[in-house]
Amino acid sequence: METLELFIDGKFVPAKSGDEREIEYPANGQIHIRAAEAGKEDAKAAIASARKEFDTGNWTKTTYAQRGEILRKVANRLIAERDEIGRMESMDTGKTYAEGKADVDDVASVFNYYADMAYADGGRVVEPSMDGISSKIVHEPVGVCALIMPWNYPLLQASWKVAPALLAGNTIIMKPSELTPSTTHYLTKILIEEGVEPGAVQLLLGSGAEVGPVLTESPDVDMVSFTGGLVTGRSIMASAAGTVKRVALELGGKNPNVIFADADMEAAIDNALTGIFLDSGQVCSAGSRLIVEESIKDEVVNELVKRAANIKMGASFDEGVETGPLISKEHREKVMAYVDRAIEQGAKVLVGGEIPEGELAEGYFYPPTILGECTRDMDCVHDESFGPVLTVETFSGDTDEEKEANALEIANDTYYGLAGAVWTSNAGRAERMARAMRHGTIWINDYHPYVAPAEWGGMKQSGNGRELGPTGLAEYQEIKHIWHNTKPAPAGWFKN
Ligand code: NAP
């Protein structure tokens, strides 16, 4: 069985300790590949190499145009090898093969978007009218960037960081989730083959708890960009404080999906289903909190329950399968504990809630689950399950204004602020709700689409900073002001 190696100082290498980890296919729990398990010494070697390349290597001497060309070639490789990369993604995550391949398309579009950005941003001129003065703002790379990714969209989350970080001229140290190393490992090969300086890319596989603090505490790492859970995000922020490094955090969400009675019901119901059950709910922006107008609650919820029960779970490559398992046994236990707690607090399971038996029993499957009779004091309404679990709440009011105010109050009653949606045929209401909802992305009459040119990120405890779009590039740039006096003269402030 193949063992994926680390990439440190321009070479694929085993871990210094020789340790390896077995990687499971979540649909049946079988080991399908092995990966080198990096330790602290490997992390230090990766930092040293990335530092050396940044300070004295060739990568920072390349131009934006040259780096953009490389990103374009990477995008083309991803498109050409989509089926194989999609297969790797499905094997590590258990997601359907269709999802695995669709993810690769999205990854390629991110590389293409940042390739296009190569000519878009040349800084700006300041004070052009002062005689003899050239004053300008230039953008420079931040330095050595540690990029730490989660397991739900392994390559996609990597691309949101890798493409802008490299375009800006940084050197990077990638750390994918210990559960899903394959596609980031493969991307490393593509990056090097398509012309990134070998020292500009380092790859650490294995445990974040082991190598993470080495990266986040090191004075030689200038920035940490992290996507993952809130608890890990907090600890990263704290451990990066000692060196005051730049920290970008993309964390979880408990995302409201608000349906008014005047919405297009078929579209709203169908998208509510996709909103929560896509990728078995393991999506940061999953519409896990249904907030529906009281008068249509029964119609909406009965239909959702019926359709959720018909979603076909199964292994990635089986015909007709619509959703896969959860990532691991441990994660399924967390999701089950969340549902148990909800029941203890008074929620009612309307569909799902039981581990499937029969041919799915070997994998980490958990069915689409809907919890009724949820109230705002319950943990399930505030906390992220990161599984296929939908909570239902209602809003009401005697007037349109009261209904909107009630819906808004519920939608904003969360310590997260990643994404949300509003469904209504009233354009004014849609705009009012979208502006007042405190979440980083709001969909009106839709759920889930994102595009590379539009910024993505969270308010409140869903994180800070933004990925994608021009801001996603700015995250990886330092801003420098250069003042050049072409007619030097004494300042004359002091008289002697
Ligand atoms: P996680 O447990 O926080 O892990 C994320 C990454 O951090 C993994 O690579 C992990 O390594 C690493 N890590 C763990 N401890 C660390 C430490 N002390 N220092 C540095 N790195 C450390 O999150 P996850 O379970 O993989 O992902 C699920 C979460 O990600 C959900 O909350 C989801 O909402 C969020 N997410 C957010 C977005 C967004 O755009 N906002 C997108 C996708 C996912 P190991 O794998 O070895 O633990």
Side-chain angles (χ1 to χ4, degrees), residues 36-199:
E37 180 77 8
K40 291 188 169 48
E41 292 309 311
D42 300 298
K44 287 179 193 162
I47 294 170
S49 175
R51 186 79 258 163
K52 184 175 70 181
E53 177 64 34
F54 187 81
D55 291 343
T56 59
N58 292 324
W59 182 242
T60 47
K61 299 189 184 93
T62 54
T63 62
Y64 267 75
Q66 288 167 326
R67 298 192 293 264
E69 281 289 299
I70 293 172
L71 297 191
R72 181 86 61 210
K73 287 192 210 159
V74 171
N76 291 340
R77 283 283 300 277
L78 291 162
I79 292 163
E81 296 172 47
R82 167 185 193 259
D83 291 0
E84 175 54 13
I85 301 169
R87 186 197 64 77
M88 289 178 204
E89 201 73 306
S90 292
M91 288 305 293
D92 277 6
T93 61
K95 62 177 67 183
T96 66
Y97 189 34
E99 285 173 309
K101 287 186 286 188
D103 284 3
V104 184
D105 294 337
D106 286 352
V107 174
S109 78
V110 173
F111 276 91
N112 270 324
Y113 172 73
Y114 283 109
D116 291 343
M117 288 281 285
Y119 295 95
D121 188 3
R124 74 178 197 275
V125 173
V126 189
E127 295 286 12
S129 59
M130 284 176 74
D131 186 34
I133 297 299
S134 153
S135 164
K136 62 188 175 188
I137 299 297
V138 296
H139 294 156
E140 296 186 351
V142 175
V144 175
C145 300
L147 312 179
I148 304 175
M149 281 78 67
W151 45 258
N152 61 335
Y153 287 88
L155 194 59
L156 186 63
Q157 296 302 323
S159 72
W160 293 12
K161 303 179 192 305
V162 171
L166 289 178
L167 180 66
N170 297 282
T171 61
I172 62 173
I173 303 168
M174 298 185 286
K175 211 308 272 176
S177 163
E178 63 190 26
L179 304 172
T180 55
S182 299
T183 49
T184 316
H185 181 271
Y186 198 74
L187 176 66
T188 308
K189 284 190 194 178
I190 294 181
L191 292 172
I192 301 307
E193 285 166 13
E194 297 307 333
V196 179
E197 282 292 326

Side-chain angles (χ1 to χ4, degrees), residues 21 148-153 157 160 175-179 206-213 215-216 226-233 235-236 239 249-253 282-285 331 334 384 386 416 418 456-458 462 467:
R21 174 187 291 266
I148 304 175
M149 281 78 67
W151 45 258
N152 61 335
Y153 287 88
Q157 296 302 323
W160 293 12
K175 211 308 272 176
S177 163
E178 63 190 26
L179 304 172
S207 161
E210 174 72 13
V211 300
L215 298 173
T216 53
F226 168 79
T227 302
L230 174 56
V231 173
T232 320
S235 84
I236 285 176
S239 84
L249 300 174
E250 294 290 341
L251 309 177
Q282 301 169 115
V283 184
C284 53
S285 53
H331 184 56
K334 277 191 209 157
E384 183 189 46
F386 215 50
Y416 287 116
L418 187 59
W456 178 268
S462 286
E467 297 199 292

Side-chain angles (χ1 to χ4, degrees), residues 327-347:
I327 187 73
S328 65
K329 191 159 185 278
E330 292 70 30
H331 184 56
R332 183 169 68 177
E333 273 158 17
K334 277 191 209 157
V335 173
M336 285 173 7
Y338 171 97
V339 172
D340 287 348
R341 174 96 180 119
I343 295 167
E344 261 169 48
Q345 294 186 332

